[in-house]
Amino acid sequence: MYVDLILTASIKAGEGIVSIYESAHSIDYKADNSPITEADKVGHRIINRYLNQTVYPILSEEGKNVHLSERIKWDNYWLVDPLDGTKEFINKNGEFTVNIALISAGTPVIGVVYVPVKKWLYVGIEGEGAWKLELEDHQLPPDWKSAGIKLPVDQCNNDCYTVVGSRSHTTEETNKFISNLEKKHGELSFLSMGSSLKICLVAEGKADIYPRLAPTMEWDTAAGDAIARSAGCKVVQYETGEPLQYNKKNLLNPWFVVKR
């Protein structure tokens, strides 16, 4: 299933991104006014070099748009965000990630999230489980499962329900959701985090819930979604309670909630 290949791809992309992160770099803007840096493009190129060795097609935030008439033929494909958390990258807080997921029949079955500044590597494989590794010098251990810690590792304190939220995005609806959690659970503990790390913190057991009542795209969530599901969490649509679906006609996600 190419797991070692995509682990290596994420780490190598992270190395390339960090080399730009630590130097001066320019910032451009896409048509929707969202920022893009040279690091996004470098990460995209490195990942593609690896994924092009596989039999599966690639859908990437930084790649060309693939029409639905082509995508609908894909039973399995890679869904990639080479640099999730560009705002965190620009703000230099280290909370950005490299995300690679394998989607099968609309479901994320393998997910890799690499945090190159912190050298944290999260892995989720359907039917096998999820792990977190803390790497040295961006090196993947030969027996990475034994070197990693099985998720979840830290169960939240039952006396303090923990909510994780975005550093860069908040909405009135999210505030109302949290207010309702306070009525149910009493005093809450809050964690702020960027990028797909928020999903990983729930998978890890450091947070109980992550409500995302704001726009995201499929490539923003797929890798973290696979990790969370593999760690025994639920990643569900806010309105219906059904799991998130991938390779939809519109690649915009509905609002969703990640919970233990």
Side-chain angles (χ1 to χ4, degrees), residues 198-218:
K198 296 181 290 295
I199 302 177
C200 293
L201 288 183
V202 181
E204 194 171 349
K206 291 188 174 180
D208 292 291
I209 194 167
Y210 163 42
R212 180 63 182 214
L213 311 188
T216 57
M217 301 300 291
E218 291 187 6

Side-chain angles (χ1 to χ4, degrees), residues 179-196:
S179 179
N180 288 331
L181 287 177
E182 287 180 311
K183 292 175 184 177
K184 181 178 180 180
H185 297 282
E187 184 179 357
L188 304 177
S189 175
F190 292 93
L191 294 171
S192 293
M193 191 65 67
S195 70
S196 57

Side-chain angles (χ1 to χ4, degrees), residues 223-241:
D225 190 344
I227 293 163
R229 296 189 199 202
S230 298
C233 301
K234 293 182 179 180
V235 183
V236 296
Q237 300 175 44
Y238 172 73
E239 295 287 350
T240 68

Side-chain angles (χ1 to χ4, degrees), residues 11-254:
I11 294 166
K12 293 298 183 183
E15 280 190 277
I17 288 167
V18 164
S19 67
I20 297 170
Y21 178 76
E22 294 173 344
S23 62
H25 54 82
S26 61
I27 302 168
D28 296 320
Y29 290 87
K30 303 178 189 178
D32 63 0
N33 208 36
S34 61
I36 183 171
T37 71
E38 182 60 26
D40 296 82
K41 301 170 187 176
V42 166
H44 172 76
R45 290 196 295 268
I46 292 171
I47 291 169
N48 273 17
R49 282 207 302 267
Y50 285 90
L51 298 189
N52 283 332
Q53 301 173 38
T54 76
V55 298
Y56 300 138
I58 305 165
L59 181 62
S60 172
E61 179 180 14
E62 306 309 336
K64 65 180 182 180
N65 292 327
V66 181
H67 195 271
L68 178 65
S69 61
E70 178 65 22
R71 289 194 286 110
I72 203 168
K73 304 172 188 175
W74 295 353
D75 293 326
N76 301 283
Y77 70 98
W78 301 111
L79 185 52
V80 177
D81 191 345
L83 201 172
D84 182 32
T86 301
K87 290 182 179 178
E88 278 67 38
F89 178 90
I90 293 168
N91 293 334
K92 289 192 174 294
N93 64 21
E95 295 174 5
F96 54 88
T97 60
V98 178
N99 300 347
I100 304 175
L102 178 64
I103 309 297
S104 180
T107 299
V109 294
I110 300 176
V112 175
V113 170
Y114 187 46
V115 193
V117 171
K118 302 177 185 294
K119 301 184 183 68
W120 296 344
L121 180 66
Y122 294 90
V123 190
I125 305 172
E126 184 181 62
E128 295 187 29
W131 296 262
K132 178 185 179 183
L133 292 87
E134 297 189 13
L135 305 186
E136 294 183 10
D137 300 322
H138 305 288
Q139 296 297 313
L140 181 68
D143 186 0
W144 60 264
K145 285 184 181 178
S146 296
I149 300 172
K150 200 80 180 284
L151 302 185
V153 291
D154 293 318
Q155 295 296 338
C156 295
N157 188 327
N158 292 331
D159 296 330
C160 195
Y161 196 79
T162 302
V163 183
V164 62
S166 174
R167 286 207 189 280
S168 304
H169 307 277
T170 188
T171 64
E172 182 180 348
E173 291 83 1
T174 303
N175 292 334
K176 288 180 180 178
F177 184 91
I178 291 172
S179 179
N180 288 331
L181 287 177
E182 287 180 311
K183 292 175 184 177
K184 181 178 180 180
H185 297 282
E187 184 179 357
L188 304 177
S189 175
F190 292 93
L191 294 171
S192 293
M193 191 65 67
S195 70
S196 57
L197 268 169
K198 296 181 290 295
I199 302 177
C200 293
L201 288 183
V202 181
E204 194 171 349
K206 291 188 174 180
D208 292 291
I209 194 167
Y210 163 42
R212 180 63 182 214
L213 311 188
T216 57
M217 301 300 291
E218 291 187 6
W219 46 71
D220 294 319
T221 59
D225 190 344
I227 293 163
R229 296 189 199 202
S230 298
C233 301
K234 293 182 179 180
V235 183
V236 296
Q237 300 175 44
Y238 172 73
E239 295 287 350
T240 68
E242 295 297 315
L244 286 183
Q245 290 294 308
Y246 294 83
N247 207 16
K248 305 185 305 299
K249 180 178 179 180
N250 185 342
L251 296 173
L252 182 70
N253 285 322

